[in-house]
Amino acid sequence: MSINYVQLLPQHFDAVIALGNEVHGDNYLDENSLTDLYQRSWSDNINASWVAVRSPDEVDNHNITSIRNTPDGYLIGFRLTIAVSQWLPDKWCSPPLWGIPKEKVCYFKCNTVDTEMRGFGIGSTLLKKSIVTSKQQGALAGVAHIWLASPGNSAFSYFKACGGELVKEHSNRWQQYSIEDSYDCPVCGVLCQCTAAEMILRFNELEY
């Protein structure tokens, strides 16, 4: 199986939105929100966000969704990361507990892989790619809010296995998106009540 990893570009937007909403719930991403995230992925002419693609010829025709075809291939995963200089910690973040200056921390917005393609190391590879480019931007660590309601709590287990450390849990982390952006949580429905685990991944402890 051949999987290629390329940095996120506008030509991937429709496919990323389609996969993001399929996995995370309706209105998780739209053109405006993804455009904003893409612009904030950049620092020093370096892009911290990545996508994973396969040749359409290798995808089962019964599972293929045409909107996920891109000039680089059929999109099967993506990692959205905000550069160190492009975000500010909000009430859901705990900088005093990070042990690293907040201006040296990037933000891992989300890591998404097609349900049919999990177990092949795609999510881990996307994370590694993002860490490399985030370090080039000046990051010493990355913070993420991990969805604790993922099936089998797999998101938490995955990020912990990659070196992530729990900082703090936050209830109703995504509820405001249900109210303001009509986000439809795949677990809670129209009003998300899911808890997020604020986690930090320190890059100096990794070998990437």
Side-chain angles (χ1 to χ4, degrees):
M1 180 174 59
S2 176
I3 302 173
N4 292 322
Y5 297 88
V6 296
Q7 288 175 301
L8 175 69
L9 292 171
Q11 64 195 29
H12 305 125
F13 280 13
D14 287 346
V16 168
I17 291 168
L19 179 58
N21 291 349
E22 176 185 326
V23 173
H24 300 290
D26 291 342
N27 300 312
Y28 180 76
L29 287 171
D30 59 27
E31 185 173 357
N32 289 335
S33 63
L34 183 55
T35 298
D36 175 65
L37 288 166
Y38 171 71
Q39 292 172 345
R40 292 195 288 145
S41 295
W42 288 84
S43 179
D44 295 330
N45 294 316
I46 300 169
N47 181 3
S49 292
W50 290 77
V51 300
V53 296
R54 291 180 68 193
S55 169
D57 296 336
E58 296 184 356
V59 182
D60 189 331
N61 288 332
H62 295 291
N63 296 326
I64 199 166
T65 303
S66 61
I67 197 172
R68 282 167 50 194
N69 282 321
T70 79
D72 293 301
Y74 186 73
L75 186 123
I76 56 173
F78 62 87
R79 157 67 70 183
L80 302 178
T81 300
I82 303 176
V84 287
S85 59
Q86 300 287 1
W87 75 291
L88 292 173
D90 57 18
K91 66 179 182 179
W92 308 104
C93 297
S94 314
L97 303 180
W98 294 347
I100 293 176
K102 61 180 182 293
E103 62 271 16
K104 292 293 185 178
V105 178
C106 68
Y107 186 73
F108 294 127
K109 167 62 177 174
C110 68
N111 193 59
T112 303
V113 177
D114 186 322
T115 55
E116 299 292 328
M117 295 300 301
R118 293 173 186 172
F120 295 100
I122 297 170
S124 297
T125 301
L126 285 166
L127 177 61
K128 291 176 182 178
K129 296 282 187 181
S130 188
I131 288 173
V132 169
T133 45
S134 294
K135 289 173 70 174
Q136 292 170 354
Q137 294 172 337
L140 299 178
V143 163
H145 288 95
I146 303 300
W147 186 38
L148 293 182
S150 63
N153 204 13
S154 58
F156 179 85
S157 299
Y158 151 77
F159 203 73
K160 183 177 180 181
C162 290
E165 300 176 18
L166 178 64
V167 177
K168 187 176 181 180
E169 292 189 7
H170 302 273
S171 59
N172 300 321
R173 168 65 178 87
W174 296 281
Q175 191 169 101
Q176 68 186 85
Y177 300 113
S178 295
I179 297 171
E180 299 172 4
D181 302 321
S182 300
Y183 168 55
D184 191 0
C185 174
V187 172
C188 307
V190 295
L191 187 64
C192 182
Q193 299 178 325
C194 291
T195 296
E198 178 188 354
M199 301 185 75
I200 189 164
L201 185 62
R202 297 179 177 85
F203 300 159
N204 64 343
E205 300 172 3
L206 306 175
E207 298 180 354
Y208 308 146

